[in-house]
């Protein structure tokens, strides 16, 4: 589809096949995990922060995507806020998201380690290999999303 990439953000396939990083991140209570804990199903990893307006704008559409995909796709929204849960948990409570959870990475391992600006969203297949990454804000209800997600074996 000509022009589709421009309409949905900047699609980057140059990291295709790279293994997911083993960086630790934490849930709202501070319990740490890694992407390996979600092996066996595709993962859509969104790096964002409460201070990032384009990030905040796309969060409701990520929640809707997570609801629509259900168990076929894990949508992980990992905050890059330095204050971690102090900022993120109240934001999630106020927003009332139904399917996404408040994950944090206050050490910025993901954004620094992956050289990612915010927002950046990376799709990993069930084996933990990168399929593509999207740089910039996106409406995750866009008609092209289903086809993009299907590239990881979900949808």
């Amino acid at each position: 589809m000509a022009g589709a990439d421009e309409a949905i953000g900047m699609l980057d396939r140059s990291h295709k096949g790279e293994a997911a990083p083993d960086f630790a991140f934490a849930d709202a209570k501070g319990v740490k995990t890694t992407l390996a804990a979600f092996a066996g199903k595709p993962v859509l990893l969104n790096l964002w922060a409460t201070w990032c307006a384009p990030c905040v704008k796309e969060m409701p559409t990520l929640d809707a995507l997570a609801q629509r995909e259900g168990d076929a796709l894990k949508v992980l929204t990992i905050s890059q806020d330095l204050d971690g849960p102090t900022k993120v948990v109240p934001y999630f409570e106020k927003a009332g998201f139904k399917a996404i959870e408040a994950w944090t990475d206050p050490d910025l391992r993901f954004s620094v380690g992956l050289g990612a600006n915010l927002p950046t969203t990376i799709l990993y297949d069930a084996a933990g290999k990168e399929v593509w990454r999207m740089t910039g804000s996106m409406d995750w209800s866009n008609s092209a999303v289903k086809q993009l997600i299907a590239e990881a074996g979900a949808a």
Side-chain angles (χ1 to χ4, degrees):
M1 292 187 301
D5 291 357
E6 293 83 2
I8 58 176
M10 185 181 295
L11 186 63
D12 177 0
R13 297 180 189 276
S14 67
H15 300 275
K16 186 172 183 162
E18 291 180 9
D22 63 355
F23 308 137
F25 55 99
D27 67 13
K29 294 181 175 152
V31 177
K32 294 193 176 193
T33 191
T34 65
L35 291 174
F38 302 94
K41 74 167 63 174
V43 171
L44 188 71
L45 169 70
N46 175 263
L47 302 176
W48 73 287
T50 58
W51 49 261
C52 168
C55 301
V56 170
K57 181 179 179 186
E58 72 180 353
M59 294 299 279
T61 66
L62 283 163
D63 189 52
L65 175 66
Q67 289 176 65
R68 186 186 84 216
E69 293 295 328
D71 290 335
L73 175 72
K74 181 63 180 178
V75 178
L76 290 174
T77 54
I78 303 179
S79 167
Q80 301 297 285
D81 282 276
L82 292 174
D83 296 334
T86 307
K87 294 264 185 185
V88 177
V89 172
Y91 169 75
F92 266 68
E93 289 171 354
K94 183 177 179 186
F97 297 127
K98 294 177 174 62
I100 56 175
E101 302 164 78
W103 297 97
T104 62
D105 172 26
D107 297 325
L108 311 180
R109 285 184 186 97
F110 280 91
S111 57
V112 173
L114 296 172
N117 292 320
L118 301 182
T120 291
T121 305
I122 305 171
L123 179 66
Y124 292 101
D125 64 19
K129 302 293 184 190
E130 184 168 330
V131 178
W132 49 255
R133 62 181 66 184
M134 188 71 64
T135 304
S137 182
M138 176 158 168
D139 177 352
W140 292 97
S141 63
N142 182 304
S143 60
V145 169
K146 193 165 185 76
Q147 181 179 356
L148 288 168
I149 298 294
E151 293 182 32

